[in-house]
Amino acid sequence: MTDQTDTAPLAALLDGPPRVVAAGVELFETTLRDQGVDVVPVDWRPPVDGLAAELARVAADPRTEEANRVALERVIAAEPHWVGIRTAREAVGIETGQFLHAGPPITWERASGPLRGALIGAMLYEGMAETPEEAQRIGERGELELAPCHHHRAVGPMAGVVSPSMPMFVVENGAFGNVAHCSLNEGLGKVLRYGAYAPEVVERLQWMAQVLGPALGAAVGRLGSLDLRAVISQALQMGDELHNRNRAASALIVREIVPPLLEAGIDPGDLADVVRFVNGNEHFFLNLGMPAAKSAMDPARDLPGSTMVVAMARNGTDFGVQVSGTGDQWFTGPAEVPDGLFLGNYTAEDANPDIGDSTIMETAGVGGFAMAAAPAIVRFVGGQASDALDATRSMYSIALGEHPHYQVPILEFRGTPVGIDVTRIVRTGTLPFVNTGIAGKEAGTGQVGAGLVSPPISAFADAVRALAAAAEAPVG
């Protein structure tokens, strides 16, 4: 005889319309919707093969919850301020023959075309070589000392090459006292950061060192400091996402610095050139936003047990990631070629794999993570306005929290997703959403387009393996 008590819950399933939760299989969801069934979709993917045991060990580490709480708290408490301009020699301590670059460590032999092009341009700028061919031979003889920007409290967009004489922004995190640096933005087109080294590129760099840098230093000196968190917060309300769209933030900077520039006693001709240059460069703020993000992330480093990503960066050959709980160790995988829109007659065949430290913006909760704030950006990188909303919504699934100061109006002023959890990436298969410029793969080409790119999952998987190896066993 059937026990009526045992079957009652099952019978209740047929008392009303079916309620369905679909996980992972889109065909199942759409088929039911076509039949008028109300479906709740759940974005779920199986974890990376072979890492279930490692994920379990990290999840059981008694330090992780508190370490991640502290890491997130430090990031959202950051108070980045622009406080000055210094040469790279003064700011990050490099000398002639030493160069910083974007991404994880790399040698001249493995360097991509745009990175080699930028190094050639920097050698011409520093007077180490008279011609590009001579600079090329210096590189081939191994007479350069290369180091990642991240190893010197700095970040650099695209190739990210920094040489001793270049002026750099100095950004101080008022909450913790740490500093970060970045070179000045050159504008778009044929510029050093995209690997171009033509004479006009070097001449522009010389003008930036002799005129632009001192003028900006005088302006911020009269201001005392400039609150970059306030600029980023306001720019998000004005349609920027702060990686590929910096139009509002750059305009806000112009509004702040023109009055002190006018009061600084600068030669009228130079003053006009400086204002015209800054006002005509919609990406001028990127090189202030990046050290602001770097200064926010660095206090979250070196917390044993923390699974928070503190840096993502690319050198044009490798994508690299650093995680708080594993110190300065880089986990790398092959950099992918971005998918996007190309300038003029350029095509995907001309594109170099992803390059630059600018993914520090996504690491800090803006850029691709704030795409919903900047639907206009999809016209630049390809896609629909709804894609921008979907991109930000999907990033909440791999973030430890939401940024209380960086809010998205169209999401009812919800904070942007911040604090990437490497274990959530590996568990869900959801990768960080990155939008980026595209450099030509041949040295000297410059920018060829802009688009979207996915980091390699293997880098995050290796980070989880390292966290698991270092995990402490639960008590009891």
Side-chain angles (χ1 to χ4, degrees):
M1 177 181 291
T2 302
D3 186 336
Q4 296 296 318
T5 302
D6 291 342
T7 61
L10 291 176
L13 289 173
L14 303 177
D15 288 348
R19 292 173 293 177
V20 180
V21 175
V25 184
E26 187 176 352
L27 178 62
F28 180 59
E29 173 194 343
T30 54
T31 301
L32 288 170
R33 285 193 190 283
D34 291 343
Q35 298 176 57
V37 177
D38 188 17
V39 180
V40 177
V42 176
D43 187 12
W44 178 87
R45 299 171 181 83
V48 174
D49 287 345
L51 285 181
E54 285 82 356
L55 286 168
R57 276 201 295 275
V58 175
D61 189 332
R63 304 168 301 174
T64 297
E65 182 177 353
E66 176 63 11
N68 280 343
R69 186 193 66 77
V70 172
L72 182 63
E73 187 175 86
R74 291 181 180 179
V75 171
I76 63 180
E79 299 172 0
H81 285 72
W82 174 26
V83 297
I85 298 282
R86 303 179 72 185
T87 67
R89 183 176 280 106
E90 298 166 335
V92 297
I94 56 174
E95 298 295 339
T96 302
Q98 296 177 318
F99 298 86
L100 305 186
H101 63 81
I106 196 166
T107 61
W108 174 273
E109 289 74 20
R110 294 189 66 244
S112 63
L115 179 50
R116 288 188 180 188
L119 288 168
I120 289 170
M123 282 187 270
L124 296 172
Y125 164 73
E126 293 289 342
M128 290 178 60
E130 295 293 328
T131 66
E133 292 75 18
E134 183 183 357
Q136 173 93 13
R137 289 193 291 273
I138 291 173
E140 291 171 348
R141 290 197 298 268
E143 296 175 357
L144 304 180
E145 186 175 335
L146 306 180
C149 290
H150 272 289
H151 292 190
H152 289 262
R153 298 173 296 146
V155 279
M158 302 309 292
V161 167
V162 177
S163 64
S165 301
M166 291 181 180
M168 302 188 81
F169 288 119
V170 183
V171 172
E172 181 176 343
N173 181 349
F176 297 94
N178 60 299
V179 295
H181 308 89
C182 186
S183 57
L184 312 186
N185 195 286
E186 313 158 73
L188 295 175
K190 288 192 176 298
V191 291
L192 189 84
R193 70 179 187 279
Y194 279 96
Y197 53 76
E200 64 266 29
V201 175
V202 177
E203 290 169 8
R204 186 188 305 114
L205 291 173
Q206 291 167 341
W207 175 81
M208 292 170 69
Q210 295 164 6
V211 178
L212 179 64
L216 294 174
V220 74
R222 297 184 73 84
L223 287 171
S225 68
L226 183 59
D227 185 348
L228 298 176
R229 188 176 72 182
V231 173
I232 292 171
S233 299
Q234 191 171 354
L236 286 169
Q237 312 301 308
M238 298 167 68
D240 281 356
E241 43 72 65
L242 283 312
H243 187 164
N244 256 317
R245 183 180 169 90
N246 289 276
R247 178 175 295 185
S250 298
L252 292 170
I253 291 296
V254 170
R255 189 179 69 174
E256 294 290 340
I257 66 170
V258 166
L261 281 172
L262 293 172
E263 298 165 356
I266 299 170
D267 173 82
D270 288 343
L271 176 62
D273 289 342
V274 167
V275 173
R276 190 179 298 113
F277 180 85
V278 176
N279 190 50
N281 180 2
E282 295 180 356
H283 285 282
F284 183 80
F285 183 78
L286 176 63
N287 292 43
L288 274 167
M290 288 175 59
K294 167 76 172 167
S295 73
M297 297 309 304
D298 277 356
R301 288 176 172 268
D302 302 321
L303 294 171
S306 174
T307 59
M308 180 189 285
V309 172
V310 292
M312 298 189 294
R314 316 83 94 201
N315 56 35
T317 302
D318 307 313
F319 169 91
V321 59
Q322 293 179 307
V323 177
S324 174
T326 54
D328 293 334
Q329 186 175 358
W330 286 97
F331 306 96
T332 63
E336 302 290 336
V337 176
D339 180 21
L341 303 178
F342 291 90
L343 305 174
N345 294 323
Y346 291 119
T347 69
E349 294 297 315
D350 302 303
N352 192 77
D354 197 20
I355 186 170
D357 287 334
S358 52
T359 34
I360 193 68
M361 304 306 285
E362 281 77 10
T363 312
V366 289
F369 282 49
M371 284 281 283
I377 193 68
V378 297
R379 297 185 64 185
F380 188 55
V381 299
Q384 305 296 320
S386 60
D387 296 333
L389 290 171
D390 292 343
T392 294
R393 286 173 174 147
S394 67
M395 293 300 95
Y396 288 108
S397 67
I398 59 171
L400 290 167
E402 300 178 11
H403 204 300
H405 300 288
Y406 301 159
Q407 299 173 342
V408 182
I410 201 169
L411 297 180
E412 304 297 339
F413 295 93
R414 185 177 182 182
T416 61
V418 65
I420 301 171
D421 183 344
V422 70
T423 64
R424 298 187 191 198
I425 293 174
V426 173
R427 188 179 300 119
T428 66
T430 300
L431 291 165
F433 193 87
V434 176
N435 61 48
T436 185
I438 306 174
K441 64 183 178 183
E442 298 296 333
T445 302
Q447 184 178 12
V448 300
L452 307 174
V453 65
S454 294
I457 188 79
S458 59
F460 301 101
D462 287 344
V464 167
R465 292 187 180 94
L467 284 167
E472 288 186 354
V475 178

